[in-house]
Amino acid sequence: NAKKMKYFIRILILFISISVTGCFGLFDSGSERIIGDYFLIWIDLPENQRIIKEFDNSGGGESVVPAYIYSVGHNEDFIIAKQHPTSGFESGYKINDKITNYYIIDVKHKIIKSDKNIFVPLKKDAFDNMRKDLNIDTIDFDMNYPDKY
């Protein structure tokens, strides 16, 4: 009887483990802190990776640069990012790798004093010129991901 009970408990634990992980396994996600309250985050598909600003360590946040972010660099004052636009949620976040947009986020609101502290979106020439003007042309893109899936 003790053997049957141990066997039953093991089967029950296995069943519960599969059930719990099965429900939570439907959605995959990933995140990586860039600096301060800024994170790279994706939910369900890596193709929807975006930059968010977290709300007061709550785990929630506001999307500040839309998907798909594939390269990021930063110093203590600015974040730079490369983005290929996607087709959006309804179309499965298909990445358009023929277009590259560039973003500069003023982390400490040194230049942009409003809530939207971001220069968006920029083409390569404007981005390069703005980096020179802001004296941030030495920031490297050191967080890199596939530029397409």
Side-chain angles (χ1 to χ4, degrees), residues 108-136:
K108 295 186 178 172
H109 296 269
K110 289 187 168 200
I111 308 300
I112 304 175
K113 304 298 183 192
S114 72
D115 286 346
K116 298 295 179 194
N117 59 328
I118 187 165
F119 296 99
V120 294
L122 302 167
K123 295 300 173 199
K124 180 78 165 112
D125 291 343
F127 173 73
D128 290 340
N129 289 336
M130 190 163 288
R131 285 182 71 181
K132 286 179 189 163
D133 292 347
L134 295 172
N135 199 26
I136 59 171

Short mmCIF file of all heavy atoms in Angstrom, two decimals, residues 108-136:
data_model
loop_
_atom_site.label_atom_id
_atom_site.label_comp_id
_atom_site.label_asym_id
_atom_site.label_seq_id
_atom_site.Cartn_x
_atom_site.Cartn_y
_atom_site.Cartn_z
N LYS A 108 18.36 61.26 -19.29
CA LYS A 108 18.29 62.19 -18.15
C LYS A 108 17.62 63.52 -18.50
O LYS A 108 17.73 64.48 -17.75
CB LYS A 108 19.69 62.43 -17.60
CG LYS A 108 20.29 61.16 -17.01
CD LYS A 108 21.61 61.42 -16.34
CE LYS A 108 22.14 60.14 -15.72
NZ LYS A 108 23.50 60.32 -15.22
N HIS A 109 16.94 63.56 -19.64
CA HIS A 109 16.22 64.77 -20.09
C HIS A 109 17.14 65.98 -20.12
O HIS A 109 16.74 67.09 -19.77
CB HIS A 109 15.02 65.05 -19.18
CG HIS A 109 13.98 63.99 -19.21
ND1 HIS A 109 12.92 64.03 -20.08
CD2 HIS A 109 13.83 62.83 -18.51
CE1 HIS A 109 12.16 62.96 -19.89
NE2 HIS A 109 12.70 62.21 -18.95
N LYS A 110 18.37 65.80 -20.58
CA LYS A 110 19.32 66.92 -20.67
C LYS A 110 18.98 67.85 -21.83
O LYS A 110 19.14 69.05 -21.73
CB LYS A 110 20.75 66.40 -20.82
CG LYS A 110 21.28 65.78 -19.56
CD LYS A 110 22.74 65.44 -19.71
CE LYS A 110 23.30 65.10 -18.34
NZ LYS A 110 24.73 65.21 -18.29
N ILE A 111 18.53 67.28 -22.95
CA ILE A 111 18.23 68.06 -24.14
C ILE A 111 16.72 68.26 -24.28
O ILE A 111 16.24 69.36 -24.46
CB ILE A 111 18.78 67.37 -25.41
CG1 ILE A 111 20.26 67.03 -25.25
CG2 ILE A 111 18.53 68.21 -26.64
CD1 ILE A 111 21.19 68.19 -25.01
N ILE A 112 15.99 67.17 -24.21
CA ILE A 112 14.53 67.21 -24.36
C ILE A 112 13.91 67.25 -22.97
O ILE A 112 14.07 66.32 -22.19
CB ILE A 112 14.02 65.98 -25.13
CG1 ILE A 112 14.71 65.87 -26.48
CG2 ILE A 112 12.51 66.05 -25.31
CD1 ILE A 112 14.36 64.60 -27.25
N LYS A 113 13.21 68.30 -22.67
CA LYS A 113 12.66 68.48 -21.32
C LYS A 113 11.26 67.91 -21.14
O LYS A 113 10.76 67.81 -20.05
CB LYS A 113 12.64 69.97 -20.95
CG LYS A 113 13.99 70.65 -21.04
CD LYS A 113 15.00 70.05 -20.09
CE LYS A 113 16.31 70.79 -20.16
NZ LYS A 113 17.40 70.13 -19.51
N SER A 114 10.62 67.48 -22.23
CA SER A 114 9.24 66.98 -22.12
C SER A 114 9.22 65.51 -21.72
O SER A 114 10.26 64.86 -21.61
CB SER A 114 8.52 67.16 -23.46
OG SER A 114 9.02 66.23 -24.40
N ASP A 115 8.02 64.97 -21.53
CA ASP A 115 7.86 63.55 -21.19
C ASP A 115 8.41 62.63 -22.27
O ASP A 115 8.94 61.58 -21.98
CB ASP A 115 6.39 63.22 -20.97
CG ASP A 115 5.87 63.76 -19.66
OD1 ASP A 115 6.69 64.14 -18.80
OD2 ASP A 115 4.64 63.79 -19.49
N LYS A 116 8.23 63.01 -23.50
CA LYS A 116 8.71 62.19 -24.62
C LYS A 116 10.15 62.61 -24.93
O LYS A 116 10.40 63.47 -25.75
CB LYS A 116 7.82 62.36 -25.85
CG LYS A 116 6.40 61.91 -25.61
CD LYS A 116 6.32 60.43 -25.33
CE LYS A 116 4.90 60.00 -25.07
NZ LYS A 116 4.78 58.70 -24.50
N ASN A 117 11.08 61.99 -24.24
CA ASN A 117 12.49 62.36 -24.31
C ASN A 117 13.23 61.56 -25.39
O ASN A 117 14.28 61.01 -25.15
CB ASN A 117 13.16 62.14 -22.96
CG ASN A 117 13.06 60.70 -22.50
OD1 ASN A 117 12.11 60.01 -22.80
ND2 ASN A 117 14.05 60.25 -21.77
N ILE A 118 12.66 61.54 -26.59
CA ILE A 118 13.20 60.67 -27.61
C ILE A 118 13.20 61.37 -28.97
O ILE A 118 12.26 62.08 -29.31
CB ILE A 118 12.39 59.35 -27.63
CG1 ILE A 118 13.01 58.34 -28.55
CG2 ILE A 118 10.96 59.58 -27.94
CD1 ILE A 118 12.48 56.94 -28.31
N PHE A 119 14.29 61.22 -29.69
CA PHE A 119 14.40 61.70 -31.06
C PHE A 119 14.00 60.53 -31.96
O PHE A 119 14.72 59.53 -32.02
CB PHE A 119 15.84 62.11 -31.39
CG PHE A 119 16.35 63.27 -30.59
CD1 PHE A 119 17.15 63.05 -29.48
CD2 PHE A 119 16.05 64.58 -30.96
CE1 PHE A 119 17.65 64.13 -28.75
CE2 PHE A 119 16.55 65.65 -30.23
CZ PHE A 119 17.34 65.43 -29.13
N VAL A 120 12.85 60.60 -32.62
CA VAL A 120 12.34 59.46 -33.37
C VAL A 120 11.66 59.83 -34.66
O VAL A 120 11.13 60.92 -34.74
CB VAL A 120 11.32 58.66 -32.54
CG1 VAL A 120 11.95 58.01 -31.37
CG2 VAL A 120 10.16 59.50 -32.14
N PRO A 121 11.48 58.84 -35.52
CA PRO A 121 12.57 57.98 -35.95
C PRO A 121 13.48 58.78 -36.86
O PRO A 121 13.03 59.71 -37.52
CB PRO A 121 11.89 56.84 -36.69
CG PRO A 121 10.63 57.43 -37.24
CD PRO A 121 10.25 58.53 -36.28
N LEU A 122 14.70 58.41 -36.92
CA LEU A 122 15.69 59.13 -37.73
C LEU A 122 16.24 58.21 -38.81
O LEU A 122 16.38 57.01 -38.58
CB LEU A 122 16.86 59.60 -36.84
CG LEU A 122 16.51 60.51 -35.67
CD1 LEU A 122 17.69 60.62 -34.71
CD2 LEU A 122 16.10 61.88 -36.17
N LYS A 123 16.55 58.78 -39.94
CA LYS A 123 17.27 58.05 -40.98
C LYS A 123 18.76 58.16 -40.65
O LYS A 123 19.18 58.97 -39.84
CB LYS A 123 16.96 58.61 -42.37
CG LYS A 123 15.49 58.42 -42.75
CD LYS A 123 15.12 56.94 -42.75
CE LYS A 123 13.66 56.70 -42.97
NZ LYS A 123 13.25 55.38 -42.55
N LYS A 124 19.57 57.36 -41.31
CA LYS A 124 20.99 57.23 -40.97
C LYS A 124 21.73 58.56 -40.97
O LYS A 124 22.47 58.87 -40.02
CB LYS A 124 21.65 56.24 -41.95
CG LYS A 124 23.13 56.03 -41.72
CD LYS A 124 23.38 55.10 -40.57
CE LYS A 124 24.81 54.61 -40.55
NZ LYS A 124 25.58 55.11 -39.43
N ASP A 125 21.57 59.39 -41.99
CA ASP A 125 22.29 60.66 -42.05
C ASP A 125 21.92 61.59 -40.89
O ASP A 125 22.78 62.18 -40.25
CB ASP A 125 22.03 61.38 -43.38
CG ASP A 125 22.67 60.67 -44.56
OD1 ASP A 125 23.57 59.82 -44.34
OD2 ASP A 125 22.27 60.95 -45.70
N ALA A 126 20.62 61.71 -40.63
CA ALA A 126 20.16 62.57 -39.53
C ALA A 126 20.65 62.03 -38.19
O ALA A 126 21.05 62.79 -37.30
CB ALA A 126 18.64 62.68 -39.54
N PHE A 127 20.62 60.72 -38.05
CA PHE A 127 21.11 60.07 -36.82
C PHE A 127 22.59 60.37 -36.61
O PHE A 127 23.00 60.78 -35.52
CB PHE A 127 20.86 58.56 -36.93
CG PHE A 127 21.45 57.74 -35.83
CD1 PHE A 127 20.89 57.75 -34.56
CD2 PHE A 127 22.56 56.94 -36.06
CE1 PHE A 127 21.43 56.97 -33.53
CE2 PHE A 127 23.09 56.16 -35.05
CZ PHE A 127 22.53 56.18 -33.78
N ASP A 128 23.40 60.18 -37.65
CA ASP A 128 24.84 60.45 -37.54
C ASP A 128 25.11 61.91 -37.19
O ASP A 128 25.96 62.21 -36.34
CB ASP A 128 25.56 60.05 -38.82
CG ASP A 128 25.62 58.55 -39.03
OD1 ASP A 128 25.45 57.78 -38.04
OD2 ASP A 128 25.83 58.13 -40.18
N ASN A 129 24.39 62.82 -37.83
CA ASN A 129 24.56 64.25 -37.55
C ASN A 129 24.17 64.59 -36.11
O ASN A 129 24.86 65.35 -35.43
CB ASN A 129 23.76 65.11 -38.53
CG ASN A 129 24.34 65.07 -39.92
OD1 ASN A 129 25.52 64.82 -40.12
ND2 ASN A 129 23.50 65.31 -40.92
N MET A 130 23.04 64.03 -35.66
CA MET A 130 22.59 64.30 -34.30
C MET A 130 23.57 63.73 -33.28
O MET A 130 23.83 64.33 -32.24
CB MET A 130 21.19 63.76 -34.08
CG MET A 130 20.60 64.23 -32.76
SD MET A 130 18.83 64.00 -32.71
CE MET A 130 18.32 65.28 -33.85
N ARG A 131 24.13 62.55 -33.55
CA ARG A 131 25.13 61.97 -32.64
C ARG A 131 26.33 62.90 -32.51
O ARG A 131 26.86 63.08 -31.41
CB ARG A 131 25.59 60.60 -33.15
CG ARG A 131 24.56 59.51 -32.93
CD ARG A 131 25.05 58.18 -33.40
NE ARG A 131 26.10 57.70 -32.50
CZ ARG A 131 26.74 56.55 -32.66
NH1 ARG A 131 26.46 55.78 -33.69
NH2 ARG A 131 27.66 56.18 -31.82
N LYS A 132 26.76 63.49 -33.62
CA LYS A 132 27.89 64.44 -33.57
C LYS A 132 27.49 65.67 -32.76
O LYS A 132 28.24 66.14 -31.92
CB LYS A 132 28.33 64.83 -34.98
CG LYS A 132 29.10 63.74 -35.68
CD LYS A 132 29.49 64.16 -37.09
CE LYS A 132 30.07 62.96 -37.83
NZ LYS A 132 30.11 63.15 -39.25
N ASP A 133 26.31 66.21 -33.05
CA ASP A 133 25.83 67.41 -32.35
C ASP A 133 25.72 67.18 -30.84
O ASP A 133 26.00 68.08 -30.04
CB ASP A 133 24.46 67.86 -32.88
CG ASP A 133 24.54 68.39 -34.31
OD1 ASP A 133 25.66 68.66 -34.81
OD2 ASP A 133 23.47 68.51 -34.94
N LEU A 134 25.29 65.98 -30.44
CA LEU A 134 25.12 65.66 -29.02
C LEU A 134 26.41 65.12 -28.39
O LEU A 134 26.43 64.81 -27.20
CB LEU A 134 24.00 64.63 -28.84
CG LEU A 134 22.61 65.08 -29.24
CD1 LEU A 134 21.64 63.90 -29.20
CD2 LEU A 134 22.13 66.21 -28.33
N ASN A 135 27.45 65.00 -29.19
CA ASN A 135 28.74 64.49 -28.73
C ASN A 135 28.62 63.07 -28.19
O ASN A 135 29.20 62.72 -27.16
CB ASN A 135 29.37 65.43 -27.71
CG ASN A 135 30.85 65.20 -27.56
OD1 ASN A 135 31.51 64.74 -28.50
ND2 ASN A 135 31.39 65.51 -26.40
N ILE A 136 27.83 62.25 -28.89
CA ILE A 136 27.66 60.84 -28.48
C ILE A 136 28.03 59.89 -29.61
O ILE A 136 27.61 58.73 -29.62
CB ILE A 136 26.21 60.57 -27.99
CG1 ILE A 136 25.19 60.88 -29.09
CG2 ILE A 136 25.91 61.32 -26.71
CD1 ILE A 136 23.78 60.43 -28.77
#
